[in-house]
Amino acid sequence: KQEVTQIPAALSVPEGENLVLNCSFTDSAIYNLQWFRQDPGKGLTSLLLIQSSQREQTSGRLNASLDKSSGRSTLYIAASQPGDSATYLCAVSASTLTFGKGTMLLVSP
Amino acid sequence: EADIYQTPRYLVIGTGKKITLECSQTMGHDKMYWYQQDPGMELHLIHYSYGVNSTEKGDLSSESTVSRIRTEHFPLTLESARPSHTSQYLCASSESARGDTQYFGPGTRLTVL
């Protein structure tokens, strides 16, 4: 059974810092990996999707990498801002999506 | 911008009541999903559908049922709500099951007293 682990569970940084969120998964037989953002009490917003054949994807200040063979992905956020404060979820897709518990990020002004 | 809607956003109801959580999308997606999320925990898939008249149970056992009579509509029903059903319920849709992004609705936060 696929298991997804996210480290750290929570992270607090001052504005402007670059940061890395980590995601690991136990079964490398995946179609893709997605990073989502979830604001308190709200649904999920898709940030980046990396197909299993890709190594990384970039969108603005966000860069996600995928090493399928080792079962790892990282989400890099450059020049963090208070508006980046949210919970970031990693999910891997086989027949269905399996989610991690998320990393709760707080960026202070 | 994804167009997927859930109603109600918040629901407080007594034990034993029948409830239906609504989910609709205007993107013409064939694939739709229901997830359950407890505070601080990961999302768990409870139901999914790959098209009209197709429904399957997800990874997490649930006492709820779903139907898919129209492409755009995927309601979830609890025949007799219990306090253990208190949770957030998130609906999502995608164009394909494997390679595409899932788009999520805002969620319904259900409290059963």
Side-chain angles (χ1 to χ4, degrees):
Chain A
K1 180 187 173 187
Q2 179 76 268
E3 293 184 1
V4 179
T5 302
Q6 292 188 244
I7 295 173
L11 183 61
S12 181
V13 300
E15 182 177 6
E17 275 203 8
N18 302 324
L19 53 98
V20 175
L21 309 182
N22 296 291
C23 172
S24 62
F25 48 96
T26 55
D27 187 347
S28 62
I30 63 170
Y31 294 118
N32 61 53
L33 182 144
Q34 299 181 47
W35 284 93
F36 293 88
R37 169 186 172 137
Q38 185 174 30
D39 293 287
K42 297 188 178 179
L44 278 65
T45 301
S46 179
L47 298 173
L48 291 164
L49 181 150
I50 311 175
Q51 300 290 356
S52 62
S53 59
Q54 296 175 320
R55 297 286 291 181
E56 66 177 330
Q57 281 286 336
T58 298
S59 176
R61 294 182 294 108
L62 305 180
N63 175 275
S65 67
L66 173 64
D67 184 342
K68 198 175 86 160
S69 61
S70 68
R72 295 179 188 277
S73 176
T74 60
L75 178 67
Y76 176 82
I77 302 177
S80 58
Q81 302 171 358
D84 294 331
S85 299
T87 296
Y88 290 80
L89 299 172
C90 167
V92 296
S93 175
S95 56
T96 57
L97 272 182
T98 302
F99 283 84
K101 291 184 179 181
T103 294
M104 187 181 300
L105 174 65
L106 176 63
V107 182
S108 52
Chain B
E1 188 72 22
D3 295 321
I4 181 164
Y5 308 98
Q6 290 185 243
T7 57
R9 291 292 314 279
Y10 304 93
L11 180 62
V12 180
I13 201 163
T15 297
K17 300 291 186 182
K18 177 181 179 179
I19 60 170
T20 296
L21 308 185
E22 302 287 350
C23 176
S24 59
Q25 49 95 7
T26 59
M27 297 171 284
H29 289 167
D30 284 329
K31 316 302 185 291
M32 295 190 74
Y33 314 85
W34 274 104
Y35 294 88
Q36 184 174 342
Q37 184 183 31
D38 294 326
M41 301 297 290
E42 61 267 64
L43 279 76
H44 289 286
L45 181 69
I46 52 174
H47 297 283
Y48 61 98
S49 167
Y50 285 168
V52 172
N53 294 325
S54 154
T55 62
E56 301 287 344
K57 290 189 178 296
D59 306 323
L60 182 67
S61 175
S62 173
E63 294 169 343
S64 58
T65 59
V66 293
S67 62
R68 190 85 183 277
I69 299 173
R70 303 197 316 263
T71 297
E72 63 272 21
H73 195 213
F74 191 40
L76 181 146
T77 298
L78 278 164
E79 290 292 333
S80 180
R82 294 207 298 268
S84 61
H85 296 140
T86 294
S87 189
Q88 171 150 297
Y89 293 85
L90 291 160
C91 180
S93 73
S94 68
E95 190 166 344
S96 90
R98 298 177 179 180
D100 287 344
T101 299
Q102 288 192 16
Y103 296 95
F104 281 77
T108 294
R109 185 165 296 279
L110 172 66
T111 302
V112 184
L113 303 177

